[in-house]
């Protein structure tokens, strides 16, 4: 997409017109939740959050892969890092995610653990070939966006005869988490801004239950100011008519049917399982696990790893923030014990975390 075309989605005058229209048509509070870390940052970075009518309440949901990774999963990969014959491969944003007793991968690396930051799962193929006497374990976190690439990496490893690569699979799927939020008596959500990246893989059909079963609207949106404002305005118009819909406003990237090939690769290697989400707990069918026919790559089976619900980080309210029950500055640790330099919870670690965005962009 050309820079000139992209600039049209940032037109200040058009943004002002939509904001005026929203103000004139709002008939009460609209509590919307975005479920994508990129949307979280885009809303803060563009200044939209401070320009929205006061009746429009922005909730940042479970859309940051690092943030939703459960405490027990974090402790599992920290334990694995301590094994002598293991090289742990990970994306950089997991390095400072805290486990219990203030452990994290960065500290483990400083203490001698062999941890490699990679930019793509495919980098692990080379790492495994260069270290034939060790087991290279890639930490698989995130949603439908990253799972197909990791599945493709496992397929390539099998084709190339690589036998010392494993994947520690903690992948999660978005639609099931949204339904869990809608059925939670603690939450209050009028509509969703749906994630552009995930939707590029799964399309819009898996979200249809939001309107059909729960009478809420949801819109797949891009990441520019006009993308987000148009989607919010659409939700207001539908609500005023007594209607609820699921729509795709990001058609320059997202097809209504998603990417069938990516889903085929993903479900060839992974199958749905129950999964633990930070702050939400176990959601049936919301995770992806390695299928039995791909056992040779399964780090959980290799090392006998089981994941069970454990205690939350003391004082940390990341869980409530991911459910939209609390805003970051309602956490007692925010800007005190928990800062980007010394994060207590993952929402302050990741650049896409709501606490980090709040800290960096929100004016007091």
């Amino acid at each position: 997409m050309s820079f000139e075309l992209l600039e049209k989605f940032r037109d200040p005058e058009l943004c002002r017109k939509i904001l005026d229209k929203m103000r004139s048509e709002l008939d009460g509070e609209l509590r919307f939740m975005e479920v994508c870390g990129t949307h979280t940052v885009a809303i803060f970075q563009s200044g939209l959050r401070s320009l929205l009518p006061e009746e429009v309440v922005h909730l940042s949901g479970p859309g940051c892969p690092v943030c939703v990774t459960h405490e027990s999963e974090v402790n599992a990969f920290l334990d694995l890092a301590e094994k002598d014959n293991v090289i742990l491969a990970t994306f950089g944003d997991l390095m400072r995610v805290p486990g219990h007793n203030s452990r994290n991968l960065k500290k483990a690396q400083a203490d001698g653990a062999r941890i490699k930051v990679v930019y793509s799962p495919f980098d692990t193929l080379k790492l495994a070939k260069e270290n034939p006497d060790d087991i290279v374990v890639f930490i698989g976190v995130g949603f439908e966006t990253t799972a197909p690439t990791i599945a493709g990496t496992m397929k390539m490893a099998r084709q190339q005869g690589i036998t010392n690569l494993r994947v520690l699979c903690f992948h999660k799927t978005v639609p099931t988490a949204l339904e869990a939020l809608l059925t939670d008596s603690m939450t209050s959500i009028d509509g969703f801004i749906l994630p552009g990246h995930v939707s590029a893989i799964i399309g819009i059909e898996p979200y249809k239950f939001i309107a059909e079963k729960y009478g809420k609207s949801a819109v797949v949106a891009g990441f520019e100011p006009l993308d987000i404002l148009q989607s919010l305005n659409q939700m207001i118009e539908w609500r005023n008519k007594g209607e609820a819909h699921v729509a795709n406003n990001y058609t320059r990237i997202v097809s209504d049917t998603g990417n069938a090939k990516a889903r085929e690769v993903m479900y060839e290697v992974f199958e749905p399982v129950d999964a633990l989400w930070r702050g939400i707990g176990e959601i049936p069918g919301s995770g992806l696990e390695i299928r039995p026919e791909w056992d040779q790559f399964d780090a959980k089976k290799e090392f006998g790893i089981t994941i069970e619900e454990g205690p939350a980080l003391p004082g940390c309210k990341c869980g409530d923030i991911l459910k939209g029950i609390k805003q970051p500055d309602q956490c007692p640790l925010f800007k005190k014990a928990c800062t980007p330099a010394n994060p207590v919870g993952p929402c302050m670690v990741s650049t896409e975390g709501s606490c980090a965005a709040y800290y960096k962009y929100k004016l007091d």
Side-chain angles (χ1 to χ4, degrees):
M1 177 175 294
S2 70
F3 180 76
E4 289 77 13
L5 180 58
L6 203 57
E7 279 297 293
K8 292 180 180 178
F9 288 90
R10 302 168 182 167
D11 187 311
E13 187 57 36
L14 283 176
C15 288
R16 271 192 290 271
K17 287 181 179 177
I18 296 177
L19 282 164
D20 289 343
K21 191 167 184 291
M22 289 168 64
R23 289 189 185 92
S24 68
E25 296 187 1
L26 270 166
D27 61 356
E29 188 175 76
L30 178 78
R31 297 171 62 84
F32 82 95
M33 174 177 279
E34 40 79 10
V35 282
C36 174
T38 309
H39 275 136
T40 305
V41 174
I43 289 170
F44 277 99
Q45 198 171 41
S46 65
L48 278 187
R49 201 174 195 282
S50 58
L51 295 173
L52 290 172
E54 62 181 21
E55 298 94 334
V56 177
V57 180
H58 169 212
L59 308 172
S60 190
C64 160
V66 170
C67 304
V68 301
T69 301
H70 194 270
E71 293 93 333
S72 300
E73 296 171 335
V74 174
N75 290 325
F77 66 65
L78 287 169
D79 290 343
L80 194 56
E82 296 175 356
K83 293 190 177 294
D84 291 336
N85 64 329
V86 167
I87 299 174
L88 215 53
T90 177
F91 294 138
D93 52 2
L94 278 182
M95 289 296 287
R96 295 173 66 232
V97 174
H100 281 285
N101 298 321
S102 301
R103 296 188 300 163
N104 63 39
L105 289 178
K106 196 171 182 63
K107 290 178 181 175
Q109 188 181 47
D111 290 338
R114 292 188 295 170
I115 300 166
K116 300 289 185 183
V117 174
V118 296
Y119 296 98
S120 163
F122 293 115
D123 294 344
T124 60
L125 299 174
K126 182 171 182 286
L127 192 60
K129 288 178 183 175
E130 291 174 345
N131 297 275
D133 297 328
D134 297 305
I135 297 176
V136 174
V137 180
F138 180 73
I139 307 172
V141 301
F143 307 109
E144 294 94 331
T145 318
T146 50
T149 310
I150 294 170
T153 303
M154 292 161 65
K155 292 186 69 171
M156 287 187 68
R158 179 175 280 183
Q159 290 167 2
Q160 295 177 17
I162 295 172
T163 60
N164 62 327
L165 176 65
R166 304 288 183 274
V167 173
L168 186 57
C169 185
F170 295 138
H171 288 294
K172 295 171 175 57
T173 53
V174 169
T176 38
L178 302 188
E179 181 152 28
L181 291 174
L182 287 169
T183 57
D184 190 323
S185 61
M186 298 284 287
T187 64
S188 175
I189 303 165
D190 297 315
F192 291 101
I193 295 291
L194 296 171
H197 302 137
V198 166
S199 303
I201 304 297
I202 68 174
I204 64 170
E205 184 64 31
Y207 303 117
K208 291 289 183 66
F209 71 91
I210 296 172
E212 294 169 356
K213 188 174 177 181
Y214 296 98
K216 311 285 186 182
S217 289
V219 183
V220 179
F223 303 99
E224 301 301 331
L226 275 178
D227 289 318
I228 296 165
L229 289 175
Q230 286 175 328
S231 299
L232 290 174
N233 186 60
Q234 204 164 19
M235 281 194 263
I236 292 168
E237 290 179 344
W238 287 333
R239 189 172 72 172
N240 289 348
K241 295 177 183 175
E243 300 174 0
H245 301 279
V246 173
N248 176 16
N249 278 1
Y250 196 27
T251 54
R252 63 186 188 275
I253 298 294
V254 176
S255 154
D256 284 1
T257 56
N259 186 325
K261 183 60 181 175
R263 292 197 301 274
E264 179 186 330
V265 172
M266 180 169 68
Y267 285 114
E268 178 184 345
V269 172
F270 299 118
E271 61 184 357
V273 292
D274 301 345
L276 285 172
W277 293 61
R278 186 184 295 266
I280 303 175
E282 185 173 277
I283 305 176
S286 69
L288 294 174
E289 191 62 278
I290 296 172
R291 290 184 181 276
E293 52 268 42
W294 293 86
D295 265 2
Q296 68 186 94
F297 297 100
D298 193 335
K300 290 179 186 170
K301 288 189 169 58
E302 173 84 22
F303 297 100
I305 296 170
T306 56
I307 303 297
E308 298 177 355
E309 183 87 62
L313 293 169
C316 176
K317 300 300 180 188
C318 277
D320 288 345
I321 293 164
L322 291 169
K323 292 169 70 173
I325 296 172
K326 289 184 182 296
Q327 297 285 1
D329 58 359
Q330 293 175 316
C331 174
L333 305 184
F334 182 75
K335 275 191 172 182
K336 297 170 185 159
C338 186
T339 66
N342 294 291
V344 175
C347 297
M348 188 62 91
V349 175
S350 172
T351 54
E352 295 189 339
S354 51
C355 292
Y358 230 78
Y359 187 97
K360 185 173 183 180
Y361 297 110
K362 185 176 184 298
L363 300 176
D364 292 327

